[in-house]
Amino acid sequence: MLSNPLIATTLIFALIALGEWLSIISKARIPMLLTAMVGYLICIWTGIFPKDILATSQFAALGAMLVGPAILHMGTMIPFSLLKTQYKAVLISLGGITVSGVLILIIVTFLFDYPTAVAGIGPLSGGVVALIITSEKLTEIGLTSLIVIPALIVAFQGLLGMPLAQYFLRKYAFTIQEQIDNGTFKPMEDNKHTATKETAVKSPIKSSMTLKLFFVFVGAAIGTALGEVTPIHYSLWCLAFGVTGLKLGIFEHKSLEKANSFNLTMIAIIFVVIGTMADVSPQDVLNNLPSIIVLLLLGTLGISLGGFIVSKLLKWHPYKGMPVALTALFGFPADYILCEEVSRSIARNKEEEETIFNEMLTPMLIGGFTTVTIASVVIAGILVQTL
């Protein structure tokens, strides 16, 4: 029965739905993605789900294909004028992983050894690409016993990062509410201007959802192709196309939402995120537990501390800056999902929900792309050469 793709997909989807339900009733205190990932591991380890359930589902393959369009869509959510003002988000995210890296190199090297420290730093700075770079080098120099460390770091770093970031985002959302109530809040985005543009009369061609979706796929396909023939990662091309395409009028604001395709896209990508846990066994966790715990705790502490320090230096509210730094531990799509969950749970009406969401999302996305897509790859690439 579980060999049927629809049934397999529905069972995994049930974990996501359970996570969404818990997030709603707990007012975003329990992240949906965290519930889905932990639930998946428990079901795999206990034999409730067969190990090949994701492959049977085939939905993760769709999700992997939709990452490019989703990143392009994220670019269309960020007005170019706002992007230029987000240099503080970049500096805060870099400050977080710098402090984290220094702490790990000093303390983990002392407690364990230098290769263990290097095995954890790249993935803690951002994720899957850094994991691949680190694992390839460890294999090349014969330290195959350490390969499980970066894999487990990537698998579990969100378990610490997401709840902590969500806590700070909730605090910041309440701060925004207080500013709205006393009339001191200054939004980053001119929502009225956006609304005026969206109510303009459009031709049938421009209003076709099929064509809107097609244009997003074309942009993402070009970005993916450029990623294969240039040293620049495809996600950066897709993000750049989304931002510039919005500015030039090629794409609409929130393109996938206008094409009624965003929810399905996000669900498919969550399948991919859950899939990163597929090869983690209980024995893998037990054998490397001491080093993994130290790496995760030091990494989370260092990123939070670095985010706090740089936020203070740049005169940002720490509750706004620290979650930006913590995006290194989870990145996309968790950064988007957390902003959505928090704004939905804290806001008192739809207008306030949109205001809180817009205020949090842009720096979170910029921070995530800085660390996960760029900085982690650079850090991993440099440090593995020292092994």
Side-chain angles (χ1 to χ4, degrees), residues 124-141:
L124 271 169
S125 301
V128 176
V129 178
L131 159 65
I132 294 169
I133 293 171
T134 305
S135 299
E136 287 178 349
K137 185 63 178 181
L138 290 173
T139 302
E140 180 186 325
I141 63 177

Side-chain angles (χ1 to χ4, degrees), residues 1 16 21 34 43 91 114 117 122 181 193 202 226 267 271 284 298 309 322 341 364:
M1 183 174 69
I16 299 171
W21 178 73
L34 179 61
C43 289
L91 293 176
Y114 181 70
D181 290 342
H193 177 66
K202 300 171 185 175
L226 288 172
I267 295 298
F271 270 64
D284 290 333
L298 279 178
I309 293 170
M322 292 169 76
E341 289 180 343
M364 287 288 283

Side-chain angles (χ1 to χ4, degrees), residues 1-5 7-12 15 39-58 274-275 277-280:
M1 183 174 69
L2 292 182
S3 60
N4 182 285
I7 295 174
T9 299
T10 303
L11 288 173
I12 300 172
L15 294 175
Y40 176 78
L41 267 185
I42 292 172
C43 289
I44 290 292
W45 288 355
T46 57
I48 297 173
F49 288 173
K51 290 187 176 181
D52 63 348
I53 189 170
L54 268 171
T56 301
S57 162
Q58 301 176 20
I274 291 174
M277 312 284 277
D279 296 326
V280 176

Side-chain angles (χ1 to χ4, degrees), residues 12 16 33 37 40 54 58-67 128 234 265-278 332-333:
I12 300 172
I16 299 171
L33 202 57
M37 293 173 75
Y40 176 78
L54 268 171
Q58 301 176 20
F59 209 60
L62 175 64
M65 183 184 69
L66 291 174
V67 171
V128 176
Y234 81 91
T265 299
M266 290 298 292
I267 295 298
I269 291 175
I270 291 171
F271 270 64
V272 178
V273 175
I274 291 174
T276 62
M277 312 284 277
F332 173 83

Side-chain angles (χ1 to χ4, degrees), residues 89-349:
V90 174
L91 293 176
I92 288 169
S93 58
L94 291 176
I97 60 175
T98 299
V99 173
S100 170
V102 171
L103 284 178
I104 289 172
L105 281 176
I106 295 172
I107 297 175
V108 173
T109 300
F110 175 75
L111 293 177
F112 300 98
D113 51 42
Y114 181 70
T116 299
V118 172
I121 286 181
L124 271 169
S125 301
V128 176
V129 178
L131 159 65
I132 294 169
I133 293 171
T134 305
S135 299
E136 287 178 349
K137 185 63 178 181
L138 290 173
T139 302
E140 180 186 325
I141 63 177
L143 295 175
T144 52
S145 61
L146 295 180
I147 289 177
V148 70
I149 292 177
L152 290 173
I153 291 293
V154 169
F156 288 107
Q157 60 188 0
L159 304 188
L160 283 176
M162 284 188 289
L164 192 57
Q166 190 172 55
Y167 171 79
F168 292 132
L169 285 173
R170 285 177 58 84
K171 290 286 190 181
Y172 186 56
F174 286 122
T175 301
I176 294 173
Q177 276 187 336
E178 291 177 9
Q179 293 174 346
I180 291 173
D181 290 342
N182 60 32
T184 60
F185 177 69
K186 295 180 180 179
M188 291 192 303
E189 185 174 7
D190 187 351
N191 294 322
K192 291 182 180 179
H193 177 66
T194 303
T196 301
K197 289 173 66 176
E198 290 179 358
T199 55
V201 178
K202 300 171 185 175
S203 69
I205 292 178
K206 287 190 175 181
S207 61
S208 168
M209 293 181 185
T210 301
L211 291 177
K212 289 176 186 178
L213 188 59
F214 171 70
F215 294 144
V216 171
F217 268 68
V218 169
I222 295 172
T224 301
L226 288 172
E228 293 181 355
V229 299
T230 68
I232 300 173
H233 197 262
Y234 81 91
S235 63
L236 292 180
W237 285 113
C238 291
L239 181 66
F241 285 164
V243 173
T244 55
L246 176 66
K247 176 70 175 177
L248 298 174
I250 299 171
F251 303 120
E252 289 190 71
H253 184 55
K254 301 181 180 179
S255 289
L256 283 180
E257 290 183 26
K258 298 293 174 58
N260 281 351
S261 304
F262 187 62
N263 283 346
L264 183 63
T265 299
M266 290 298 292
I267 295 298
I269 291 175
I270 291 171
F271 270 64
V272 178
V273 175
I274 291 174
T276 62
M277 312 284 277
D279 296 326
V280 176
S281 70
Q283 194 61 43
D284 290 333
V285 176
L286 291 174
N287 290 344
N288 294 277
L289 200 55
S291 59
I292 290 167
I293 290 174
V294 172
L295 281 164
L296 287 171
L297 291 177
L298 279 178
T300 304
L301 173 65
I303 289 170
S304 301
L305 180 62
F308 177 82
I309 293 170
V310 182
S311 294
K312 284 290 189 181
L313 291 174
L314 296 177
K315 302 189 186 320
W316 261 27
H317 198 295
Y319 290 151
K320 180 179 181 180
M322 292 169 76
V324 170
L326 286 166
T327 55
L329 297 176
F330 45 86
F332 173 83
D335 46 12
Y336 179 92
I337 292 169
L338 288 179
C339 291
E340 185 179 49
E341 289 180 343
V342 169
S343 59
R344 179 183 63 203
S345 65
I346 301 299
R348 295 164 292 193
N349 54 61

